[in-house]
């Protein structure tokens, strides 16, 4: 499906919504099945936002593989091509997926399914940033990571020597960007949903009332 933004691919990274395997820090609050149900809603929202940004191509990169029925149904519903994530840490998985996307697209944007504050306009702004000559673009996260990375060129070294899951991911990435001589731009900092306090913040926004539970 050709979108209105040429030469662009958006990648959504998502873990299969398996009880006890996702949103583990929220299990004490929501229970294993409740945390998995939230994961479903977040994936649906991320795919909807990505589709609304009208890229040329939308891809759903799944973990541990593409066999989970919810991921298959979600990919089909949003006209997204499913792929299995490959690599033994998040950095290797993102590096691989972005390298694959950049073989056929000039601009590749990768997002997770943890940031309901991310909008289609953020995605369009990220693509515009790359089209204006930056090598990379980011949406930093309040917890020290990032919720979006976009590249206009393959840069596997950008994902090396990063403490994934820690509070210094964005800071360490800036060091890597400088060492590689890459030009980058950062959009506004957003927040994601990992901890009980994040969930309570999400409740206060009304987002949980607005986004229907997938059937």
């Amino acid at each position: 499906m050709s979108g209105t933004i040429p030469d662009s691919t958006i990648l959504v990274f998502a873990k299969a919504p398996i009880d006890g395997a996702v949103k583990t820090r929220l299990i004490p609050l929501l229970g294993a099945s409740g945390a998995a149900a939230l994961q479903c809603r977040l994936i649906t929202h991320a795919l909807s936002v990505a589709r609304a940004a009208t890229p040329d191509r939308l891809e759903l990169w799944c973990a541990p593989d593409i066999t989970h029925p919810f991921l298959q149904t979600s990919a089909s519903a949003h006209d997204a091509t499913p792929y299995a994530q490959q690599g033994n840490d998040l950095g290797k998985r993102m590096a691989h997926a972005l390298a694959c996307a950049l073989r056929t697209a000039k601009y590749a944007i990768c997002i997770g399914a943890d940031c309901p504050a991310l909008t289609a306009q953020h995605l369009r702004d990220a693509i515009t940033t790359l089209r204006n000559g930056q090598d990379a673009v980011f949406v930093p996260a309040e917890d020290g990571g990032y919720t979006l990375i976009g590249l206009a060129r393959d840069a596997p070294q950008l994902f090396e020597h990063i403490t994934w899951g820690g509070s210094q991911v964005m800071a360490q990435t800036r060091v890597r960007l400088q060492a590689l001589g890459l030009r980058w731009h950062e959009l506004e900092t957003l927040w994601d949903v990992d901890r009980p306090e994040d969930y309570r913040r999400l409740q206060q926004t009304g987002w949980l009332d607005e986004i229907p539970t997938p059937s």
Side-chain angles (χ1 to χ4, degrees):
M1 176 179 176
S2 179
T4 60
I5 303 178
D7 304 317
S8 61
T9 296
I10 295 177
L11 302 76
V12 177
F13 262 46
K15 291 182 180 178
I18 300 169
D19 288 8
V22 294
K23 295 297 171 197
T24 55
R25 284 180 283 181
L26 287 173
I27 290 176
L29 178 67
L30 303 177
S33 61
L38 176 62
Q39 176 76 351
C40 289
R41 298 178 76 174
L42 289 167
I43 292 170
T44 298
H45 179 70
L47 284 167
S48 298
V49 167
R51 175 52 64 199
T54 63
D56 270 338
R57 182 176 173 85
L58 178 58
E59 300 175 353
L60 177 61
W61 285 80
C62 309
D65 52 45
I66 64 172
T67 61
H68 194 283
F70 178 81
L71 296 179
Q72 292 181 341
T73 300
S74 297
S76 177
H78 293 88
D79 194 21
T81 304
Y83 294 96
Q85 296 179 27
Q86 297 185 28
N88 57 14
D89 65 31
L90 178 59
K92 289 183 175 62
R93 294 193 291 270
M94 286 195 295
H96 170 77
L98 286 162
C100 290
L102 288 168
R103 291 173 190 161
T104 56
K106 289 183 180 179
Y107 316 111
I109 304 293
C110 181
I111 65 171
D114 297 332
C115 183
L118 193 69
T119 67
Q121 189 60 52
H122 290 116
L123 296 173
R124 288 190 288 265
D125 289 346
I127 295 172
T128 297
T129 296
L130 298 177
R131 295 186 70 180
N132 287 342
Q134 298 294 319
D135 298 312
V137 61
F138 296 86
V139 171
E142 290 182 2
D143 63 6
Y146 53 79
T147 67
L148 175 153
I149 177 174
L151 296 177
R153 53 185 288 191
D154 189 19
Q157 303 95 329
L158 187 57
F159 304 93
E160 298 174 354
H161 310 297
I162 305 295
T163 308
W164 300 107
S167 62
Q168 296 298 309
V169 170
M170 191 66 234
Q172 293 171 346
T173 299
R174 293 185 186 107
V175 173
R176 298 298 299 154
L177 287 159
Q178 291 174 339
L180 294 168
L182 297 178
R183 297 166 296 173
W184 83 94
H185 177 68
E186 297 176 22
L187 302 176
E188 65 172 318
T189 299
L190 300 178
W191 59 283
D192 48 24
V193 180
D194 287 315
R195 304 161 299 174
E197 53 265 40
D198 302 324
Y199 184 80
R200 296 186 184 97
R201 183 176 179 179
L202 186 64
Q203 287 179 305
Q204 293 172 357
T205 68
W207 183 91
L208 290 167
D209 300 323
E210 298 169 4
I211 306 298
T213 302
S215 58

